[in-house]
């Protein structure tokens, strides 16, 4: 079959069958959050030993999807009572604040080493956000996780994505399909040479859903850390309706939206304003800004613009270079032929 631009498109009956297989496979897996809850307990004990006023919150995929997927890390942030009470406050970005976060994470790393000497630990101070990366041992401890400190934005953006994904039964499935595909193709930043993080892909999924009016806008201010549980509740996955037919259509429509309708030259994927209203011009994400802007010496690109809903002036797609944008288009074209490699 040929599409609008003369490209090959997979037959929808094949896509439906493939999507249905994907869902069955996921549903046969263990996706409950028990392994995460166990790691949460262990991390809590170490945090308690360092500073009993701090509480580790889980965000990222466990919070966004309400399940634990094999191969996903667990994202933790340790928050103080003040961070939680002022749950809609902006995160501090000063070097002093980052220094304090690093100090706490260093003390935490020492406590973790004492308790779990088989775990691999690395404290990364020089990134935009200081982070303690831990690779668990065998068995239940096999889960890898990241710990940051005093930053609410991750908890808020995960709650925001979750509020979208619970509006429409296909949304979570779409997110899982897109994430898996982005990892397989190497477009996901968790893979060497990748450029868009799972978080970025999730914002792309939500932006598409907003553009199609399949979900309604959730005001970003509505997410308050004071109302959010440190350990996100498990949300079992449900079999998609009509054996995944609607999901299959949505998946192919997602790909064609980003290939043929979205205008990366001018438009910004944003959850802050009504979908379609945010332009690069409005945010001054121009060629000139691109030539000037750097984060810790690294160039920032404004070719594929995803506005962070809570972080000021941050393009979540900042690592998409002109070359990677071309690669992204190629992979989207291939996704149209292969239903995101499900038929490959
Ligand atoms: P995975 O299952 O692959 O781990 P995830 O849903 O946990 O997926 P991540 O990409 O690991 O998503 O993101 C976790 C958190 O890290 C996000 O909630 C966000 O706060 C932060 N983050 C990730 N990517 C970016 C980015 N490009 N810019 C700013 N913050 C980011
Ligand atoms: Mg994660
Ligand atoms: Mg992570």
């Amino acid at each position: 079959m040929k599409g609008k631009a003369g490209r090959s498109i997979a037959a929808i009956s094949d896509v439906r069958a493939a999507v249905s297989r994907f869902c069955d496979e996921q549903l046969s897996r263990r996706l409950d959050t028990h392994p995460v809850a166990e790691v949460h307990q262990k991390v809590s004990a170490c945090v308690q030993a360092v500073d009993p006023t701090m509480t580790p919150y889980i965000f990222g995929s466990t919070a966004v999807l309400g399940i634990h997927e094999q191969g996903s890390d667990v994202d933790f942030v340790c928050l103080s009572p003040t961070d939680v009470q002022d749950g809609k406050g902006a995160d501090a970005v000063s070097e002093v604040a980052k220094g304090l976060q690093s100090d706490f994470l260093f003390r935490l790393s020492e406590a973790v080493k004492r308790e779990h000497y088989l775990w691999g630990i690395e404290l990364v101070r020089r990134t935009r956000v200081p982070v303690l990366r831990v690779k668990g041992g065998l068995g239940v401890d096999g889960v890898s996780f990241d710990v940051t400190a005093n930053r609410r934005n991750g908890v808020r953006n995960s709650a925001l994505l979750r509020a979208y994904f619970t509006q429409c039964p296909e949304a979570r499935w779409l997110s899982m399909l897109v994430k898996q595909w982005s990892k397989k193709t190497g477009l996901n930043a968790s893979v060497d040479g990748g450029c868009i993080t799972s978080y970025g892909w999730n914002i792309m999924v939500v932006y598409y859903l907003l553009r199609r009016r399949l979900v309604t806008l959730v005001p970003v201010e509505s997410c308050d850390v004071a109302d959010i549980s440190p350990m996100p509740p498990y949300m079992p996955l449900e079999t998609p309706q009509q054996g995944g037919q609607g999901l299959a259509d949505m998946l192919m429509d997602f790909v064609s939206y980003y290939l043929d309708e979205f205008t990366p030259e001018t438009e910004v994927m944003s959850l802050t304003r009504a979908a379609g209203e945010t332009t690069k011009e409005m945010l001054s994400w121009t060629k000139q800004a691109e030539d000037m802007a750097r984060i810790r010496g690294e160039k920032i690109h404004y070719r594929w613009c995803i506005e962070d809903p809570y972080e000021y002036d941050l393009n979540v797609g900042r690592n998409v270079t002109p070359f990677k944008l071309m690669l992204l288009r190629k992979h989207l074209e291939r996704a149209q032929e292969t239903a995101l490699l499900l038929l490959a």
Side-chain angles (χ1 to χ4, degrees), residues 182 186-198 201 319:
S182 73
L187 288 169
N188 192 294
S190 67
V191 181
D192 266 347
C195 55
I196 303 174
T197 58
S198 299
W201 288 105
N319 295 323

Side-chain angles (χ1 to χ4, degrees), residues 127-139:
T127 34
R128 194 177 62 84
V129 177
V131 57
L132 183 64
R133 295 195 187 287
V134 185
K135 292 222 182 309
L138 300 169

